[in-house]
Amino acid sequence: MLNILTVVGARPQFVKAAVFSRFIRTNLYAEKIRETIVHTGQHYDENMSDIFFREMEIPTPNVNLCIGSGTHGATTGAMLSGIESTILERKPDVVLVYGDTNSTLAGALAASKLHVPVVHVEAGLRSYMMVMPEEQNRRLTDHLASWLFCPTDTAVVNLEKEGIFNNGITNPSADNKAVVQCGDIMYEASLYYQPKALDQSESSLQDLPDHFALLTLHRAENTDDYKRLSTIIQALNKFDSIEFVFPIHPRTKKILSQYSLEFKSHIHMIDPVGYFEMLALENKCSFVVTDSGGVQKEAYFFKKPCITLRDTTEWRELVEHGWNTLVGADETTIVDTLKAMPKYGDSVPLYGDGMTAKKIADVLLSWQK
Ligand code: UD1
Ligand code: UDP
């Protein structure tokens, strides 16, 4: 029996964990893999956390560290200590972390200090902007991990540039890593949950305009920089030839009120929505405007063009194939790009075959402990 301790904490990790966790509870895998879920409590509002566990039937976490919000150091430090105690108590064979949040780094660091091998799902992504907290977290996690599950070929090449190569999957360590291209776990999530999500969300979409753009905006590089944030808002306020639906992240809501910044009435702010309603919005919208990592990809899954309010993206293939346009926080570029929307990209499969969870489970089970 392989004992996995999974660390989650933030919204995108619930989506990713839902897929793998469901897969290993089914089929013959349930007899071979046991999972303990640790929720750091980084996200804690009902519609930032509980709704994801309920809708996607993720098992209730075995441990909730209830760390909550605070500075990077204080929260990551508290997570590190809490995860360390949990590892010492539960004695897992491996610790699995997803993505690039502070919960990811805390999980990887706690495990690696205790010599418990780290599994990183969504490895190898790079924005090449070390100032971003996500880039710090993902780089450090990749270097600590024994298994690196990459969503794309680009991610594998990014690791090679840092001297990280595949040294075989049967006996990996932090020094001799297993690097596996397994496709994107969020693609599998969208394929699996889409039918249920679209069915269940039909009634909640009735009041929406026929044509709208979906907006999300929460990344620190935008929200914590007054000039960037106010320029983005100014550009979006100017462009009133389409209505926007904007599920607003609590971080952004707090900062808008601190700065007294306001969106005009064609931008409809709503509370953050659950994953099912989000998929339904992505399915119904005309195009997407975002600074989210996950939402850039989901736009493409629904064949919706995307404008990304960032200077770089770790999902470069979306830009290369014409699905995503990077506009940074430049007012003229944002408005001109909005005027040219929608702009469709090439019809190419970019994120695998939707069997990512199986590939990860099979590789982990081939490990000769
Ligand atoms: C985190 C991740 C980011 C990811 C995002 C997903 C880090 C460094 N950043 O950013 O990569 O894109 O999650 O959504 O890990 N808040 C609430 N209720 C909640 C959660 C947050 O009110 O349930 C508010 C608090 O004021 C908090 C702020 O949002 O201080 C920021 O939360 P935090 O978890 O620190 O970072 P995110 O911006 O959510
Ligand atoms: N999401 C959601 N409700 C929302 C906004 C986003 O369910 O109101 C989902 C979205 O569909 C995607 C994930 O959350 O699956 C992305 O998380 P987020 O944008 O917060 O973080 P990022 O991907 O930028 O790290």
Side-chain angles (χ1 to χ4, degrees):
M1 180 67 80
L2 177 70
N3 281 304
I4 299 180
L5 187 142
T6 299
V7 177
V8 293
R11 177 165 74 181
Q13 286 157 346
F14 308 142
V15 176
K16 294 162 199 174
V19 179
F20 185 68
S21 194
R22 180 188 57 77
F23 182 79
I24 58 172
R25 292 196 311 278
T26 55
N27 318 317
L28 294 172
Y29 291 84
E31 293 162 19
K32 298 178 189 162
I33 300 179
R34 188 180 304 131
E35 185 182 39
T36 299
I37 299 179
V38 180
H39 187 332
T40 63
Q42 181 175 348
H43 287 176
Y44 45 85
D45 289 346
E46 150 67 29
N47 52 0
M48 294 293 287
S49 176
D50 288 5
I51 190 170
F52 293 86
F53 285 82
R54 218 172 35 246
E55 281 185 342
M56 289 184 275
E57 298 172 320
I58 310 169
T60 305
N62 302 80
V63 178
N64 191 327
L65 299 173
C66 298
I67 304 298
S69 304
T71 61
H72 287 280
T75 53
T76 312
M79 289 175 202
L80 183 60
S81 167
I83 298 166
E84 181 180 67
S85 305
T86 313
I87 295 173
L88 288 169
E89 188 192 317
R90 304 262 172 168
K91 301 185 174 43
D93 298 313
V94 297
V95 168
L96 189 158
V97 294
Y98 293 98
D100 53 20
T101 74
N102 288 347
S103 298
T104 314
L105 176 62
L109 197 49
S112 103
K113 295 272 183 195
L114 293 171
H115 306 148
V116 178
V118 174
V119 181
H120 187 203
V121 175
E122 215 180 66
L125 297 177
R126 295 292 181 266
S127 65
Y128 295 105
M129 279 185 69
M130 206 49 159
V131 72
M132 292 171 68
E134 294 81 9
E135 184 78 356
Q136 298 167 12
N137 292 338
R138 59 171 85 99
R139 279 196 192 221
L140 293 167
T141 301
D142 282 342
H143 284 265
L144 295 170
S146 295
W147 284 270
L148 295 97
F149 289 102
C150 299
T152 59
D153 291 336
T154 309
V156 175
V157 173
N158 290 342
L159 291 174
E160 287 170 0
K161 285 185 200 154
E162 288 170 29
I164 299 177
F165 295 91
N166 183 29
N167 287 297
I169 59 169
T170 50
N171 199 15
S173 67
D175 296 312
N176 291 296
K177 298 170 190 289
V179 178
V180 181
Q181 210 274 44
C182 61
D184 180 42
I185 197 136
M186 288 186 80
Y187 178 50
E188 186 168 349
S190 84
L191 289 178
Y192 181 80
Y193 292 105
Q194 209 179 114
K196 210 168 167 190
L198 301 189
D199 189 42
Q200 283 188 14
S201 306
E202 210 165 289
S203 58
S204 62
L205 300 184
Q206 273 168 1
D207 297 334
L208 290 176
D210 283 342
H211 299 288
F212 67 90
L214 177 64
L215 169 67
T216 81
L217 174 64
H218 74 279
R219 284 299 183 94
E221 74 208 78
N222 287 327
T223 57
D224 293 6
D225 180 330
Y226 177 81
K227 190 162 183 311
R228 282 184 76 95
L229 185 61
S230 55
T231 308
I232 289 169
I233 293 173
Q234 209 164 302
L236 296 171
N237 278 345
K238 258 192 190 169
F239 191 78
D240 61 0
S241 50
I242 189 161
E243 298 191 63
F244 288 83
V245 175
F246 178 21
I248 185 167
H249 190 291
R251 171 192 205 101
T252 316
K253 191 171 181 183
K254 200 167 89 183
I255 291 171
L256 286 185
S257 105
Q258 273 167 10
Y259 290 154
S260 301
L261 288 166
E262 283 184 2
F263 282 95
K264 290 219 166 127
S265 60
H266 64 285
I267 299 167
H268 305 280
M269 275 196 272
I270 58 174
D271 285 337
V273 295
Y275 181 62
F276 284 9
E277 197 169 334
M278 190 65 181
L279 290 184
L281 287 168
E282 288 164 346
N283 181 52
K284 195 168 182 215
C285 71
S286 302
F287 60 90
V288 171
V289 181
T290 192
D291 61 1
S292 158
V295 176
Q296 290 174 54
K297 272 181 301 164
E298 287 168 352
Y300 159 82
F301 300 156
F302 285 97
K303 301 283 169 268
K304 301 298 163 82
C306 181
I307 291 180
T308 295
L309 301 160
R310 283 170 48 180
D311 301 322
T312 62
T313 178
E314 55 283 3
W315 303 104
R316 276 201 336 252
E317 55 288 333
L318 292 172
V319 178
E320 282 157 13
H321 289 280
W323 287 101
N324 192 358
T325 309
L326 294 174
V327 292
D330 179 76
E331 189 179 332
T332 313
T333 313
I334 297 172
V335 173
D336 288 351
T337 312
L338 282 166
K339 281 183 187 157
M341 292 300 266
K343 187 173 147 277
Y344 297 92
D346 309 331
S347 182
V348 282
L350 297 174
Y351 294 108
D353 58 6
M355 305 276 280
T356 296
K358 181 175 184 331
K359 286 178 191 136
I360 295 171
D362 287 342
V363 167
L364 293 179
L365 285 173
S366 70
W367 179 34
Q368 291 161 1
K369 278 191 258 177

